[in-house]
Amino acid sequence: MTPSDMSGLEAALRAEVDGEIRFDAGSRGAYATDGSNYRQVPLGVVVPRTVEDGARAVSVCARFDAPVLSRGGGTSLAGQSTNTAVVIDWTKYCDRLISVDPERRTCVVEPGIVLDELNRQLSPHRLQFGPKPSTHSHCALGGMIGNNSCGASAQAYGKTVDNVRQLEILTYDGQRAWVGPTPPDERARLAAGGGRLAELYAGLDRIATEYLADIRRGYPKIPRRVSGYNLDSLLPENGFDVAKALVGSEGTLVTVLRAELDLVPVPRYQSLLVLGYDDICTAADDVPLLLERCSPTQLEALDGRMAQLMREEGAYLDSLNALPEGDSWLMLQFSGDSQEEVDEQAHALLRAVGRDEKDSRIAFSDDPEREQKMLKAREAGLGVTARPPDDRETWEGWEDSAVPPERLGDYLRDLKGLFDEFDYDHPSLYGHFGQGCVHTRIPFDLRTADGVAHFRRFVERAADLVAAYGGSLSGEHGDGQSRGELLTRMFGERLVTAFGELKALFDPGNRMNPGKVVHPHPVDGQLRLGPGWRPATPSTHFDFPEDEHSFNRAVMRCVGIGNCRSHSGGVMCPSYRATREEEHSTRGRARLLFEMLNGHADSAVEDGWRSTAVRDALDLCLACKGCKSDCPTGVDMATLKAEFMAHHYEGRIRPAAHYSMGYLPLWARLSRIAPSLVNSALQAPGLARLGKRLAGIDEARSAPVFAEESFVQWWKARDQEEPDPADPRTVVLWPDTFSTYFHPAIAKSAVRVLEDAGFRVAVPTEPVCCGLTWISTGQLAVAKKVLTRTLAVLRPYLEAGTPVIGLEPSCTAVFRADAPELMPADQDVQRLAGQVRTFAEQLVHHAPDGWEPPRLARQATVQTHCHQHAIMKSGADEELMRRAHLDAEVLDEGCCGLAGNFGFERGHHEVSMAVAEQGVLPAVRGAAPDSLVLADGFSCRTQIEEGGTGRRALHLAEVLALALDGNLPSDHPERLADRPEPPSRAARWATAAATAAVPAGAALALRLRRRPG
């Protein structure tokens, strides 16, 4: 399209569509790729507010002859969710469950609703949508319909096509209709009505008739045939079902506006049987026998290679520990209406195959929590294999083949032989073996011409292999660009010709997701990398040691899985959950950083580190580090953001908040001159508002109150002899800014408990800081200087190996993770990383034998700081609370939303509170009055206190110290906590008046001086 056409298209969309119309570089870059090997920068993005607006967007695009791509969760692995087209993202607004009919077990949905959210809304009816892919937390039903998604539960419930009753569709040329099973008399009625709809049905009738024998003969009779169009749904014996024929067409034929779905009952009881084998091929050999003897709801497999990768990555170890002996495993899940029924299904199978539950290669569980642990290992396959510890790049491309289950073992042996022939060393093999579907990721070289040619030869050979086994190129991920060019090898020329005729019938201009399935782009075209990819290789402040010391490799950790678009559970990604914006997800930001590297001639981002598009996308990143732990490939967006901001603002004036919040440790030390006056000034009418405006602080936020006496001042006043650093009982209590100047009672409490446990506490009295606030604002050169000074103060303790105890999780995380990456060559940084411990770690793992924490016998609602979740984990805290007889509910409600400086900065308050209201604040409001509310992070405590909860959160150290001094009150026990009191109203007004009097007095003096004598 010409620039004039593009301008006209954008203007028309803005004028006629109620929605977000985005033709900016940031939006186009965020949608440039999906979960596949492919990349195509879109023309623009439309986020319609209603389904009707989505339909209008298609109409406008048709007027301008602009290609259209409907997009759901964007997790497609075959390239069907990336195109040089107008992308319509349905997931932000068009996500309603329109109606439910519990008796008929059906529902009607809009295309943007996420599967887990649909099932959550259906749960009061004890119904669910049957197919459940591993992306269930974030995949949209429209995308599932487009891809004909399956997942492990397809063993019981079939593919998406088997669960779709009717579709409301829209063709590119404007025909709109509900379609489904269409008997001959209905087709006759439609034909008599004339028009475009009659033309469509006549064309479908002709294709089904002309290719009848080819369809019956050429479609593999296997459970997981997803490749190709579903022409078999048009056969007379299948009810001439137009809806099912359109499922799996990947947006190349029609736009799906609404769908009527079949539902299934939620199983009341489940059990899991795991069988261990010597290798994955032997496990596959056993599948037909097992299916003869039982009817499981899932029959999954994972191999020893995946288990090895998990162990090397330290991931899913609980899941692995629950598995029986063996080097490959089959997992069979059984469902039923009673526990006895599901248990008996498993035991009957063992009897039938002559095995016993006591066998070391058998694991049986009817404990749902243990079952989920074991299944989690299998579900995690894509993330684990995408970025193996040996740093090889593995890719999709042959990740989804399917064969008859009875031939699976032999197919796997031949496939492994093909891996050996092409020198693709030992990819993991896993998948839905009960239906013959095999997943893998292969270390293709997609950067060089020889490597890409090698990749092409491999997939051609693999396609011939799977066809020889009577299988399908795709068992659930679809064809897209990965397999579109290979369809002839599976179906033959005549059926592929029929696919082309179906495409021409619905989309004669080839405007619907062109280049996919029919008239496909080459399997080695439009690659995300490719031999022409030439990215910038910038020098960086962080070392990125886990990414071959490369910023580019760190960015490329994101392979598009999309877990950052989940709606609940874990921490990642709070800004996406609040905004539902792709560019405010971890994946969207990673995509923009990839574009910023400018490796392609058509890169959406052309201005490198100075990019405002990247800056704006990173602006709402809370730097919570949730992605570092929750992302299957360990993307660390907080570090990438800090690196970007360091370069973006280099030699330039920064936002005011970078000086006010970034230099907070300095301002906190200066507050010691007159803390009461500082507090009054920060709260004074008029003056506080002016100060916030100048400091870049949101007016809705209250300034935290400085303590009259800091922790270090209190410590000095104790006038105790400093312990010997070499004494094994000595610990250094780290005086972080927050525990020192704002909540010193926490540090005092920690001293009380540590000394009770027999430790000798040392506290640095010279100014020290971890540099957190400078890191989070991207002032990395300053952070290094601050850390260097701190290391000099700590040197005697570092040389003696003295433990350093952190109270503020974000500061402890700096010493464990950020500082070693920022100063990798500094041996003291490495020593500190090894010596720093959390308060709970010290007491749980290093307290003298015989010491026990005080008994509390209370319930507690616990908010874990995001940095602790990501870096230190909370196992020691949970164990310490257990020993203290605290009945702790550790929230799984995500980030608190304040996230250090983020929630204080102007323009962030709305998102900050939206994040908090998604889980943390409602959970605290629901806590019983006699329960404790615990939050070790200053940000978390502040957000809870200011978030209208009526509660004040305590640090675990405070709770234990209070318990040492006696019983806590039965109602709102936090009222015993010592917190700085805000200045009185009189003090605030007096400060305001005094401040106002200064310029007034100066003006009066000036006038008096000028008055004639």
Side-chain angles (χ1 to χ4, degrees), residues 390-410:
D390 59 11
D391 282 330
R392 291 183 306 165
E393 292 176 341
T394 66
W395 302 96
E396 63 88 1
W398 195 254
E399 83 298 341
D400 186 40
S401 54
V403 297
E406 60 272 16
R407 304 190 68 186
L408 181 58
D410 288 339

PDB file of all heavy atoms in Angstrom, residues 390-410:
ATOM      1  N   ASP A 390      22.430 -25.316  27.881  1.00  0.00           N
ATOM      2  CA  ASP A 390      23.652 -25.247  27.071  1.00  0.00           C
ATOM      3  C   ASP A 390      23.622 -24.078  26.087  1.00  0.00           C
ATOM      4  O   ASP A 390      24.521 -23.920  25.266  1.00  0.00           O
ATOM      5  CB  ASP A 390      23.880 -26.564  26.325  1.00  0.00           C
ATOM      6  CG  ASP A 390      22.720 -26.923  25.394  1.00  0.00           C
ATOM      7  OD1 ASP A 390      21.845 -26.072  25.157  1.00  0.00           O
ATOM      8  OD2 ASP A 390      22.700 -28.073  24.906  1.00  0.00           O
ATOM      9  N   ASP A 391      22.541 -23.259  26.179  1.00  0.00           N
ATOM     10  CA  ASP A 391      22.416 -22.029  25.401  1.00  0.00           C
ATOM     11  C   ASP A 391      22.246 -22.255  23.898  1.00  0.00           C
ATOM     12  O   ASP A 391      22.372 -21.313  23.106  1.00  0.00           O
ATOM     13  CB  ASP A 391      23.592 -21.073  25.634  1.00  0.00           C
ATOM     14  CG  ASP A 391      23.462 -20.321  26.943  1.00  0.00           C
ATOM     15  OD1 ASP A 391      22.313 -20.083  27.355  1.00  0.00           O
ATOM     16  OD2 ASP A 391      24.488 -19.989  27.549  1.00  0.00           O
ATOM     17  N   ARG A 392      21.954 -23.484  23.488  1.00  0.00           N
ATOM     18  CA  ARG A 392      21.603 -23.678  22.087  1.00  0.00           C
ATOM     19  C   ARG A 392      20.245 -23.034  21.826  1.00  0.00           C
ATOM     20  O   ARG A 392      19.360 -23.049  22.678  1.00  0.00           O
ATOM     21  CB  ARG A 392      21.504 -25.164  21.755  1.00  0.00           C
ATOM     22  CG  ARG A 392      22.811 -25.907  21.765  1.00  0.00           C
ATOM     23  CD  ARG A 392      22.585 -27.354  21.337  1.00  0.00           C
ATOM     24  NE  ARG A 392      21.555 -27.991  22.136  1.00  0.00           N
ATOM     25  CZ  ARG A 392      20.951 -29.129  21.812  1.00  0.00           C
ATOM     26  NH1 ARG A 392      21.265 -29.737  20.689  1.00  0.00           N
ATOM     27  NH2 ARG A 392      20.038 -29.658  22.596  1.00  0.00           N
ATOM     28  N   GLU A 393      20.088 -22.461  20.651  1.00  0.00           N
ATOM     29  CA  GLU A 393      18.776 -21.948  20.270  1.00  0.00           C
ATOM     30  C   GLU A 393      17.968 -23.098  19.663  1.00  0.00           C
ATOM     31  O   GLU A 393      18.409 -23.739  18.717  1.00  0.00           O
ATOM     32  CB  GLU A 393      18.924 -20.818  19.242  1.00  0.00           C
ATOM     33  CG  GLU A 393      19.563 -19.568  19.812  1.00  0.00           C
ATOM     34  CD  GLU A 393      19.788 -18.509  18.757  1.00  0.00           C
ATOM     35  OE1 GLU A 393      19.791 -18.843  17.558  1.00  0.00           O
ATOM     36  OE2 GLU A 393      19.966 -17.348  19.133  1.00  0.00           O
ATOM     37  N   THR A 394      16.808 -23.356  20.227  1.00  0.00           N
ATOM     38  CA  THR A 394      15.929 -24.375  19.659  1.00  0.00           C
ATOM     39  C   THR A 394      14.681 -23.687  19.123  1.00  0.00           C
ATOM     40  O   THR A 394      14.248 -22.650  19.645  1.00  0.00           O
ATOM     41  CB  THR A 394      15.535 -25.429  20.710  1.00  0.00           C
ATOM     42  OG1 THR A 394      14.741 -24.816  21.724  1.00  0.00           O
ATOM     43  CG2 THR A 394      16.769 -26.066  21.330  1.00  0.00           C
ATOM     44  N   TRP A 395      14.123 -24.298  18.090  1.00  0.00           N
ATOM     45  CA  TRP A 395      13.049 -23.628  17.364  1.00  0.00           C
ATOM     46  C   TRP A 395      11.924 -24.605  17.038  1.00  0.00           C
ATOM     47  O   TRP A 395      12.116 -25.809  16.974  1.00  0.00           O
ATOM     48  CB  TRP A 395      13.595 -23.033  16.054  1.00  0.00           C
ATOM     49  CG  TRP A 395      14.707 -22.066  16.267  1.00  0.00           C
ATOM     50  CD1 TRP A 395      16.041 -22.320  16.205  1.00  0.00           C
ATOM     51  CD2 TRP A 395      14.572 -20.688  16.609  1.00  0.00           C
ATOM     52  NE1 TRP A 395      16.758 -21.189  16.480  1.00  0.00           N
ATOM     53  CE2 TRP A 395      15.886 -20.161  16.733  1.00  0.00           C
ATOM     54  CE3 TRP A 395      13.488 -19.836  16.826  1.00  0.00           C
ATOM     55  CZ2 TRP A 395      16.123 -18.826  17.052  1.00  0.00           C
ATOM     56  CZ3 TRP A 395      13.738 -18.505  17.148  1.00  0.00           C
ATOM     57  CH2 TRP A 395      15.038 -18.013  17.250  1.00  0.00           C
ATOM     58  N   GLU A 396      10.761 -24.006  16.798  1.00  0.00           N
ATOM     59  CA  GLU A 396       9.676 -24.792  16.217  1.00  0.00           C
ATOM     60  C   GLU A 396      10.004 -25.027  14.741  1.00  0.00           C
ATOM     61  O   GLU A 396      10.992 -24.550  14.227  1.00  0.00           O
ATOM     62  CB  GLU A 396       8.337 -24.069  16.401  1.00  0.00           C
ATOM     63  CG  GLU A 396       8.225 -22.723  15.688  1.00  0.00           C
ATOM     64  CD  GLU A 396       7.732 -22.832  14.262  1.00  0.00           C
ATOM     65  OE1 GLU A 396       7.450 -23.966  13.805  1.00  0.00           O
ATOM     66  OE2 GLU A 396       7.667 -21.803  13.589  1.00  0.00           O
ATOM     67  N   GLY A 397       9.122 -25.742  14.082  1.00  0.00           N
ATOM     68  CA  GLY A 397       9.337 -26.040  12.664  1.00  0.00           C
ATOM     69  C   GLY A 397       8.963 -27.484  12.383  1.00  0.00           C
ATOM     70  O   GLY A 397       8.429 -27.804  11.325  1.00  0.00           O
ATOM     71  N   TRP A 398       9.242 -28.339  13.371  1.00  0.00           N
ATOM     72  CA  TRP A 398       8.734 -29.717  13.301  1.00  0.00           C
ATOM     73  C   TRP A 398       8.367 -30.138  14.722  1.00  0.00           C
ATOM     74  O   TRP A 398       8.788 -31.174  15.224  1.00  0.00           O
ATOM     75  CB  TRP A 398       9.755 -30.670  12.667  1.00  0.00           C
ATOM     76  CG  TRP A 398       9.098 -31.958  12.276  1.00  0.00           C
ATOM     77  CD1 TRP A 398       9.197 -33.178  12.879  1.00  0.00           C
ATOM     78  CD2 TRP A 398       8.157 -32.134  11.207  1.00  0.00           C
ATOM     79  NE1 TRP A 398       8.385 -34.097  12.262  1.00  0.00           N
ATOM     80  CE2 TRP A 398       7.742 -33.483  11.228  1.00  0.00           C
ATOM     81  CE3 TRP A 398       7.617 -31.286  10.241  1.00  0.00           C
ATOM     82  CZ2 TRP A 398       6.820 -33.999  10.309  1.00  0.00           C
ATOM     83  CZ3 TRP A 398       6.710 -31.790   9.330  1.00  0.00           C
ATOM     84  CH2 TRP A 398       6.321 -33.131   9.371  1.00  0.00           C
ATOM     85  N   GLU A 399       7.584 -29.289  15.362  1.00  0.00           N
ATOM     86  CA  GLU A 399       7.308 -29.458  16.790  1.00  0.00           C
ATOM     87  C   GLU A 399       5.960 -30.109  17.064  1.00  0.00           C
ATOM     88  O   GLU A 399       5.559 -30.236  18.220  1.00  0.00           O
ATOM     89  CB  GLU A 399       7.365 -28.080  17.476  1.00  0.00           C
ATOM     90  CG  GLU A 399       6.121 -27.222  17.413  1.00  0.00           C
ATOM     91  CD  GLU A 399       5.674 -26.807  16.015  1.00  0.00           C
ATOM     92  OE1 GLU A 399       6.492 -26.857  15.068  1.00  0.00           O
ATOM     93  OE2 GLU A 399       4.501 -26.432  15.855  1.00  0.00           O
ATOM     94  N   ASP A 400       5.268 -30.595  16.008  1.00  0.00           N
ATOM     95  CA  ASP A 400       3.844 -30.875  16.232  1.00  0.00           C
ATOM     96  C   ASP A 400       3.307 -32.003  15.354  1.00  0.00           C
ATOM     97  O   ASP A 400       2.134 -32.023  15.039  1.00  0.00           O
ATOM     98  CB  ASP A 400       3.077 -29.566  15.951  1.00  0.00           C
ATOM     99  CG  ASP A 400       1.609 -29.664  16.271  1.00  0.00           C
ATOM    100  OD1 ASP A 400       1.273 -30.281  17.292  1.00  0.00           O
ATOM    101  OD2 ASP A 400       0.806 -29.134  15.491  1.00  0.00           O
ATOM    102  N   SER A 401       4.145 -32.932  14.954  1.00  0.00           N
ATOM    103  CA  SER A 401       3.661 -33.977  14.046  1.00  0.00           C
ATOM    104  C   SER A 401       2.806 -34.990  14.812  1.00  0.00           C
ATOM    105  O   SER A 401       2.874 -35.101  16.037  1.00  0.00           O
ATOM    106  CB  SER A 401       4.851 -34.682  13.388  1.00  0.00           C
ATOM    107  OG  SER A 401       5.760 -35.161  14.377  1.00  0.00           O
ATOM    108  N   ALA A 402       1.984 -35.735  14.068  1.00  0.00           N
ATOM    109  CA  ALA A 402       1.107 -36.747  14.682  1.00  0.00           C
ATOM    110  C   ALA A 402       0.991 -37.946  13.751  1.00  0.00           C
ATOM    111  O   ALA A 402       0.925 -37.789  12.521  1.00  0.00           O
ATOM    112  CB  ALA A 402      -0.276 -36.161  14.956  1.00  0.00           C
ATOM    113  N   VAL A 403       0.963 -39.119  14.345  1.00  0.00           N
ATOM    114  CA  VAL A 403       0.834 -40.370  13.587  1.00  0.00           C
ATOM    115  C   VAL A 403      -0.182 -41.260  14.306  1.00  0.00           C
ATOM    116  O   VAL A 403      -0.577 -40.980  15.445  1.00  0.00           O
ATOM    117  CB  VAL A 403       2.198 -41.102  13.477  1.00  0.00           C
ATOM    118  CG1 VAL A 403       3.206 -40.256  12.715  1.00  0.00           C
ATOM    119  CG2 VAL A 403       2.736 -41.466  14.860  1.00  0.00           C
ATOM    120  N   PRO A 404      -0.598 -42.356  13.688  1.00  0.00           N
ATOM    121  CA  PRO A 404      -1.466 -43.294  14.403  1.00  0.00           C
ATOM    122  C   PRO A 404      -0.774 -43.762  15.681  1.00  0.00           C
ATOM    123  O   PRO A 404       0.412 -44.130  15.649  1.00  0.00           O
ATOM    124  CB  PRO A 404      -1.653 -44.440  13.409  1.00  0.00           C
ATOM    125  CG  PRO A 404      -1.380 -43.841  12.061  1.00  0.00           C
ATOM    126  CD  PRO A 404      -0.346 -42.792  12.290  1.00  0.00           C
ATOM    127  N   PRO A 405      -1.456 -43.749  16.829  1.00  0.00           N
ATOM    128  CA  PRO A 405      -0.807 -44.145  18.086  1.00  0.00           C
ATOM    129  C   PRO A 405      -0.159 -45.522  18.024  1.00  0.00           C
ATOM    130  O   PRO A 405       0.882 -45.751  18.649  1.00  0.00           O
ATOM    131  CB  PRO A 405      -1.958 -44.112  19.099  1.00  0.00           C
ATOM    132  CG  PRO A 405      -2.923 -43.118  18.526  1.00  0.00           C
ATOM    133  CD  PRO A 405      -2.832 -43.282  17.040  1.00  0.00           C
ATOM    134  N   GLU A 406      -0.743 -46.427  17.231  1.00  0.00           N
ATOM    135  CA  GLU A 406      -0.177 -47.775  17.169  1.00  0.00           C
ATOM    136  C   GLU A 406       1.153 -47.824  16.415  1.00  0.00           C
ATOM    137  O   GLU A 406       1.881 -48.814  16.496  1.00  0.00           O
ATOM    138  CB  GLU A 406      -1.175 -48.745  16.531  1.00  0.00           C
ATOM    139  CG  GLU A 406      -1.587 -48.412  15.110  1.00  0.00           C
ATOM    140  CD  GLU A 406      -2.780 -47.469  15.031  1.00  0.00           C
ATOM    141  OE1 GLU A 406      -3.115 -46.831  16.062  1.00  0.00           O
ATOM    142  OE2 GLU A 406      -3.383 -47.389  13.939  1.00  0.00           O
ATOM    143  N   ARG A 407       1.508 -46.751  15.723  1.00  0.00           N
ATOM    144  CA  ARG A 407       2.775 -46.714  14.996  1.00  0.00           C
ATOM    145  C   ARG A 407       3.761 -45.710  15.605  1.00  0.00           C
ATOM    146  O   ARG A 407       4.809 -45.415  15.018  1.00  0.00           O
ATOM    147  CB  ARG A 407       2.520 -46.367  13.518  1.00  0.00           C
ATOM    148  CG  ARG A 407       1.536 -47.309  12.818  1.00  0.00           C
ATOM    149  CD  ARG A 407       1.526 -47.073  11.323  1.00  0.00           C
ATOM    150  NE  ARG A 407       2.784 -47.484  10.713  1.00  0.00           N
ATOM    151  CZ  ARG A 407       3.091 -47.279   9.422  1.00  0.00           C
ATOM    152  NH1 ARG A 407       2.224 -46.651   8.619  1.00  0.00           N
ATOM    153  NH2 ARG A 407       4.255 -47.672   8.939  1.00  0.00           N
ATOM    154  N   LEU A 408       3.420 -45.185  16.761  1.00  0.00           N
ATOM    155  CA  LEU A 408       4.177 -44.078  17.344  1.00  0.00           C
ATOM    156  C   LEU A 408       5.623 -44.453  17.664  1.00  0.00           C
ATOM    157  O   LEU A 408       6.548 -43.694  17.378  1.00  0.00           O
ATOM    158  CB  LEU A 408       3.452 -43.579  18.603  1.00  0.00           C
ATOM    159  CG  LEU A 408       4.080 -42.400  19.326  1.00  0.00           C
ATOM    160  CD1 LEU A 408       4.224 -41.192  18.395  1.00  0.00           C
ATOM    161  CD2 LEU A 408       3.232 -42.026  20.546  1.00  0.00           C
ATOM    162  N   GLY A 409       5.841 -45.621  18.261  1.00  0.00           N
ATOM    163  CA  GLY A 409       7.202 -46.000  18.650  1.00  0.00           C
ATOM    164  C   GLY A 409       8.146 -46.048  17.467  1.00  0.00           C
ATOM    165  O   GLY A 409       9.272 -45.524  17.519  1.00  0.00           O
ATOM    166  N   ASP A 410       7.701 -46.688  16.380  1.00  0.00           N
ATOM    167  CA  ASP A 410       8.557 -46.782  15.195  1.00  0.00           C
ATOM    168  C   ASP A 410       8.795 -45.407  14.572  1.00  0.00           C
ATOM    169  O   ASP A 410       9.897 -45.108  14.095  1.00  0.00           O
ATOM    170  CB  ASP A 410       7.923 -47.723  14.172  1.00  0.00           C
ATOM    171  CG  ASP A 410       7.992 -49.182  14.610  1.00  0.00           C
ATOM    172  OD1 ASP A 410       8.853 -49.497  15.459  1.00  0.00           O
ATOM    173  OD2 ASP A 410       7.193 -49.991  14.104  1.00  0.00           O
TER     174      ASP A 410
END
